[in-house]
Amino acid sequence: MIICRGAVLHCFTGSRDELQACLDHGMFIGITGWVCDERRGLELRELLPMIPADRLLLETDAPYLLPRDMRPKPASRRNEPAFVPHILARVAEWRGEEAQWLEGVTDSNARQLFNIEF
């Protein structure tokens, strides 16, 4: 049996007030390649430090929301899970954290939320 220990707001792109409401309700916050968009992701980047590390998830919305700042851009223009490390590196940079540390934290968060044991 799988037991879920909370909820995730997939592909969060909301406001500061919406973020706080989600956190107040105990939700995990899912960040996708949207944050890498040089136009639409700017507001979201400003909110990244407000998300407690133990409530942050990094996710893909494959095949959508390809991180727009990837160089070179994939020929297929499709997003895929293999690009999550790019999102991780950018989010860690914008939060002022080490990518390896943030990877461990977000991995632990996903395991906790979805009750994944290894």
Side-chain angles (χ1 to χ4, degrees):
M1 174 167 41
I2 297 175
I3 300 171
C4 185
R5 295 172 171 22
V8 59
L9 182 63
H10 166 64
C11 191
F12 179 81
T13 58
S15 69
R16 180 180 305 265
D17 290 340
E18 291 166 331
L19 173 61
Q20 192 57 57
C22 292
L23 293 171
D24 289 347
H25 283 90
M27 299 178 81
F28 286 81
I29 306 299
I31 301 296
T32 66
W34 179 279
V35 74
C36 299
D37 188 298
E38 68 278 1
R39 295 166 296 160
R40 299 179 299 173
L42 295 178
E43 291 178 36
L44 181 55
R45 288 180 206 171
E46 292 178 15
L47 299 179
L48 289 174
M50 291 182 56
I51 304 170
D54 66 352
R55 302 280 281 291
L56 177 63
L57 294 174
L58 301 175
E59 49 181 0
T60 181
D61 194 34
Y64 309 107
L65 299 178
L66 175 72
R68 289 177 45 102
D69 62 354
M70 288 184 67
R71 300 289 181 265
K73 290 207 182 294
S76 71
R77 310 290 270 179
R78 287 174 46 103
N79 194 9
E80 56 185 74
F83 303 145
V84 171
H86 176 82
I87 298 166
L88 167 70
R90 301 298 285 157
V91 168
E93 177 185 340
W94 293 319
R95 286 173 57 94
E97 297 165 341
E98 292 292 324
Q100 187 173 6
W101 177 82
L102 190 59
E103 178 182 15
V105 171
T106 56
D107 182 69
S108 177
N109 293 345
R111 290 173 189 269
Q112 174 192 340
L113 177 63
F114 298 110
N115 196 30
I116 300 170
E117 295 183 25
F118 281 75

